[in-house]
Amino acid sequence: MREFTYSSHPSQVVFGTGTLNRLREEVERLGCARALVLTTPHQADLADRAGEVLGPLAAGRFTGAAMHTPVEVTEKALGVAKEAGADCLVAVGGGSTTGLAKALAVRTGLPQIVVPTTYAGSEATPVLGETENGVKTTRSAPGIRPGTVLYDVDLTLGLPVPLSVTSGINAMAHAVEALYAPQANPVTDELALRAVRLMASALPRIVADPADREARAQALEAAWLAGTCLGTVGMGLHHKLCHTLGGSFGLPHAETHTVVLPYAMAYNAPAAPDAMRRIAEALGAPDAPTAVYDLVTSLGGPTSLAALGLAEGDLARAAELATATPYPTPREVTREGVAALLRDAWSGGRPAPADGLADTLHTLTRQVVASFDGAADARVRELLTGLVRRLHGFVADHDLTEDEWWYAIGFLTRAGQLSSDTRQEFVLLSDTLGVSSAVDLLTNSRAAGSTPSAVLGPFYVEGPPALDNGADLAEGQPGTPLHVSVRITDLDGEPLPGAVADVWQSNEDGFYDVQLPDLDGPALRGRFRADDEGRVAFRTILPSEYPIPDDGPVGQMLNAVGRHPYRAPHLHFMITAPGRRRLVTQLFVAGGSYIDGDTVFGVKDALVVDFPVHDGPEGGPADGLSRSLDYTFRLAPAHTPGEQS
Ligand code: NAD
């Protein structure tokens, strides 16, 4: 049997469209004749409209309401109220405006009529949060609760979509916490579940069409019901965290609720299985916290505290503040638990589904992540933390079996065993998974105007032989003669004399020297120094397409997924010059094979270059074709302005 105490609070609630027009009637119903209209500077036009409806009953207006109810604003408004001889307060706006009405009411005893234009729900509660000297304190008293609420759906049609989403989730948070509050009872349970259902169904429609009146009506009804829950039962961990983050770290109210809710739910889920089951049912999903997270994501709402501007260094202090005083919430509140919760909310990943197994896995991940806390190098800690989170997430998402994991370990072991000074299976793995190109993209693509970079590949060898300008790189190897003449300049086209260019390439059959054990010494690779005009010239042969070594585990992987091992024909360059950023790149032969299907995803359009065909001598054999390459490399300064060092 469930035991409970329930008290209801009389108030007049008018719900509909165009209800703002009933303002005068409501003021008269209270026996008042001098209304002070309140709102924010942003909504001053609403004060005009309210004034028109009130006619002679409008005694004055104050349009300075602000978030978190600063006491100095209240004092100013108090002066205006006195001067106007106000006998009632009319608040038209969101939670901030309602807060101001409550603050005035508690000081003057004046009755309040609130016309909410967001889904914050403050109009249904006896709670007032005020800020003085940067400190937010909360008090609760029956006289604070507004006696009259006019819900006018029309006034919410223009609520911007991002605020509609976050304000809607703010309302949902009241309903969620009501379901596991110690004072929960059958009445608030039903109100809360209806609020969750209505809001979850309304928000996607509002995002699709902000002027959808039916959806707006549903959301506003949900806000009323959720606010009523908030005003009837106590709130738990989620509200405490949001209060701390808003009050002490200045985070925006509704956005913070939106980010924190899935994580606070995930934290409480093991200790509130029944409430979570009912919320999940109301959301039509198997798991409540992830369903809320997925809803927010699908609505384009914020999902991480980092994105709201909370510094990572503030997390520990926030955990300390939020756990300083005890308060009821289903699961025991510990500093470590709340710290982990906040860290998850800061990072913004999807919370793990809350069955018992997932919870244990989550705990394991947290323990491993916490084991990096002592790392002296913050970047090491960050990278290991991210890697472990993703690896654990990968294992969980795909329900990895032991056999699969052992296969993966065997695969990596074989890759290691095969690697040597001249064979780099891990580079091949990184290349064929596109990781090398991804790193290259992030590392080297930020210098506008410079020649694009490309992956280094597995065949670079340190210290290539120094060659003179004009030398023959091919040294008699068979192939189509190629005359290369490149210029090395800065971003303005000024030559960089003395720049060093390492060049390496495959032979006519597609092999690099390091793949040919019978070859004596380096071939088709060399180091040139640019002349006074920044020019490097040499003779060689046209590179051809080639398969990356596919006799190892990487080749097996390609085979298993039906991928070919071929690279498009290209010349490699690594260019350095004093004061310039090193350029590692490749020039691809336009029209060559596999340009559109390079197996290491290394081709960039800007690096596909014409190698014109020449008939006859042109320095090549008198009886055949030759090709040429003329190209200018532009090197970025070593430190690009605005770049992170
Ligand atoms: P808000 O009232 O600060 O409004 C945010 C902005 O949106 C303001 O500029 C406002 O003028 C504008 N706005 C409001 N409605 C609009 C509309 N329909 N169209 C266009 N613009 C509109 O934000 P909020 O989230 O409603 O309220 C947050 C405040 O309410 C916080 O201070 C919070 O602490 C308080 N609050 C208190 C309680 C309580 O029970 N005491 C409950 C919920 C929220």
Side-chain angles (χ1 to χ4, degrees), residues 40 42-43 67-69 93-97 102 117-118 120-122 125 127-129 136 155-156 158-160 163 167 170 174 230 253-254:
T40 61
H42 181 71
Q43 291 178 289
M67 183 89 78
H68 302 310
T69 331
S96 297
T97 305
K102 289 175 167 180
T117 62
T118 68
S122 175
T125 82
V127 181
L128 167 63
K136 187 166 180 178
L155 301 186
T156 64
L159 186 64
L163 185 52
S167 192
N170 182 191
H174 308 331
L230 176 67
H253 178 82

Side-chain angles (χ1 to χ4, degrees), residues 466-483:
L467 298 177
D468 290 333
N469 251 338
D472 183 2
L473 201 64
E475 286 182 327
Q477 298 228 19
T480 305
L482 172 65
H483 296 267

